[in-house]
Amino acid sequence: MSQEWDAGRLDSDLDGVAFDTLAVRAGQHRTPEGEHGDPMFFTSSYVFRTAADAAARFAGEVPGNVYSRYTNPTVRAFEERIAALEGAEQAVATATGMAAILAVVMSLCSAGDHVLVSRSVFGSTISLFEKYFKRFGIEVDYVPLADLSGWDAAIKANTKLLFVESPSNPLAELVDIAALAEVAHAKGAMLVVDNCFCTPALQQPLKLGADIVVHSATKFIDGQGRCMGGVVAGRSEQMKEVVGFLRTAGPTLSPFNAWIFLKGLETLSLRMKAHCANAQALAEWLEQQDGIEKVHYAGLKSHPQHELAQRQQRGFGAVVSFEVKGGKDGAWRFIDATRLISITANLGDSKTTITHPSTTSHGRLAPQEREAAGIRDSLIRVAVGLEDVADLQADLARGLAAL
């Protein structure tokens, strides 16, 4: 975009607008073409007016695009929209959700630093910490998610980050984010929250005291299972380091995927309300069925953290997990008997998905690690989509009949 270009009235005044308006309009800066939709900028590099202009941009002395590994207008629009929705000073997009976690730790931690991780995190997150971060001298310990005294006791003098998922995958466990932030800050550590399951439509961890939020945009931010991406959001001071990692290492989000996510954000609030309504109905129905031993969903009054979920979330999310009779064999029979729901480990899709966590998303963990995380062989996870809930109940009834 030309430095002399003044969008004037072409850009929307977003001062003081509500969440749903930000989800539709934040981050768009119209070009001289006056486009109404979000443009896609497919370019690897950018031209400069003069050699001096190029030098100033490469040095960071003047704002502007340099190279699409870390500056692209479409990606920047997505970053600015996420920052607006999360209440962050800045957001940085990455190629995947796992790349977002990688970028946080690699940019903010050094060999000898200590990181505390909740036991109930995604299997690949545990693998990243155990197999790779430890290899480069980062100390890692695990704490039960909801145990505030356990977090406090586990913090060391060299603890740099506390990393949690809340709600967790797949058991919908929660931690009091505001209270945990106080624990972290009292000892000089930062709190990182994976907000993938809630999205900013249901929960804004930064406003509760967290320092950094990460997302797999592949999930609900996209909303239709089309492409992969991630994003990190927080204070500009920290995000500057994340940008530096992105500039050097290059786990870059493509402009096309950023554009897809921009479109997803426009309907995020509407979709999450519908996801939550379907999940609530399905969880309540499952809790009444023979063959179901336990249902994990924070929207149920039987969930031990139901009141906490009501306080810090605006909805209970779309992921319902439940344990069936018959262990692994029973779980596999249940899944194989379904005919409508997709058997896949992805989630956040408009199409409902079903999976067996202990042999898929958490399958690479040792049995004792799965046990510590509460991932039993009898556990099934359903990521509830946007279909008619009666059809979903009918399909799960096929699974129940197979037990």
Side-chain angles (χ1 to χ4, degrees):
M1 185 183 295
S2 168
Q3 290 180 348
E4 285 89 22
W5 166 246
D6 180 4
R9 178 60 183 86
L10 293 181
D11 280 355
S12 299
D13 182 355
L14 300 179
D15 186 33
V17 302
F19 181 94
D20 288 351
T21 304
L22 292 173
V24 172
R25 292 185 174 270
Q28 184 175 9
H29 305 285
R30 293 188 172 89
T31 73
E33 301 295 340
E35 70 282 347
H36 190 233
D38 297 283
M40 285 184 276
F41 286 87
F42 293 130
T43 181
S44 58
S45 63
Y46 305 87
V47 297
F48 310 99
R49 291 184 180 81
T50 63
D53 179 33
R57 289 208 209 168
F58 269 82
E61 296 169 355
V62 297
N65 297 309
V66 178
Y67 192 59
S68 277
R69 186 170 64 242
Y70 63 103
T71 56
N72 179 277
T74 310
V75 176
R76 184 165 59 248
F78 169 62
E79 292 171 336
E80 291 184 4
R81 192 168 297 178
I82 285 290
L85 297 180
E86 285 286 10
E89 292 179 1
Q90 185 178 350
V92 182
T94 60
T96 66
M98 293 308 303
I101 299 171
L102 175 71
V104 169
V105 177
M106 293 297 289
S107 60
L108 298 179
C109 295
S110 302
D113 285 339
H114 179 235
V115 178
L116 287 174
V117 183
S118 60
R119 290 193 185 279
S120 52
V121 294
F122 180 46
S124 291
T125 302
I126 295 176
S127 296
L128 181 61
F129 279 96
E130 283 293 307
K131 294 179 65 175
Y132 299 102
F133 290 147
K134 280 187 174 182
R135 185 187 302 175
F136 292 96
I138 294 175
E139 300 175 28
V140 182
D141 287 307
Y142 298 89
V143 180
L145 177 59
D147 184 5
L148 291 174
S149 61
W151 286 102
D152 188 53
I155 295 176
K156 303 177 181 180
N158 61 334
T159 301
K160 193 68 173 288
L161 300 176
L162 278 60
F163 184 94
V164 303
E165 291 176 9
S166 184
S168 69
N169 179 16
L171 297 177
E173 292 180 287
L174 309 177
V175 68
D176 187 327
I177 294 173
L180 186 57
E182 290 183 3
V183 169
H185 297 160
K187 296 192 176 180
M190 291 182 286
L191 175 60
V192 182
V193 177
D194 186 329
N195 198 29
C196 176
F197 272 32
C198 273
T199 80
L202 302 183
Q203 176 176 266
Q204 294 167 303
L206 299 180
K207 293 185 178 180
L208 295 171
D211 299 281
I212 295 171
V213 168
V214 298
H215 287 279
S216 171
T218 309
K219 309 302 190 294
F220 295 103
I221 287 174
D222 174 8
Q224 296 185 48
R226 295 168 291 192
C227 55
M228 304 186 79
V231 64
V232 184
R235 292 190 293 273
S236 296
E237 176 185 0
Q238 298 151 347
M239 295 305 103
K240 180 180 179 180
E241 298 300 322
V242 178
V243 171
F245 174 76
L246 203 73
R247 178 174 185 166
T248 304
T252 308
L253 180 66
S254 79
F256 179 77
N257 288 9
W259 185 85
I260 292 289
F261 297 147
L262 284 167
K263 299 299 101 183
L265 287 173
E266 291 181 2
T267 60
L268 178 64
S269 186
L270 291 171
R271 287 187 289 105
M272 293 310 294
K273 290 175 183 176
H275 279 298
C276 290
N278 274 1
Q280 183 74 37
L282 210 59
E284 292 175 358
W285 178 81
L286 282 166
E287 204 170 36
Q288 303 303 315
Q289 304 306 307
D290 292 335
I292 302 296
E293 295 185 329
K294 188 174 185 179
V295 181
H296 302 272
Y297 185 68
L300 296 174
K301 293 181 180 179
S302 59
H303 191 285
Q305 296 167 303
H306 177 68
E307 292 184 3
L308 173 61
Q310 288 180 309
R311 291 201 311 271
Q312 73 181 17
Q313 299 173 198
R314 291 184 292 275
F316 301 111
V319 177
V320 178
S321 295
F322 52 95
E323 298 171 38
V324 299
K325 296 178 180 178
K328 174 186 170 183
D329 290 341
W332 278 24
R333 287 197 305 272
F334 186 108
I335 292 169
D336 290 347
T338 60
R339 290 292 177 266
L340 172 70
I341 298 170
S342 307
I343 304 175
T344 178
N346 194 33
L347 58 93
D349 201 311
S350 57
K351 302 178 182 69
T352 299
T353 67
I354 190 169
T355 191
H356 185 240
S358 72
T359 54
T360 58
S361 59
H362 293 70
R364 289 185 293 169
L365 301 183
Q368 63 271 22
E369 291 175 323
R370 287 199 298 273
E371 181 65 27
I375 310 299
R376 300 182 178 87
D377 286 343
S378 59
L379 185 71
I380 293 172
R381 188 193 74 190
V382 173
V384 184
L386 303 179
E387 302 95 339
D388 189 291
V389 72
D391 293 329
L392 298 177
Q393 290 172 349
D395 202 35
L396 294 180
R398 297 184 181 104
L400 288 165
L403 293 176

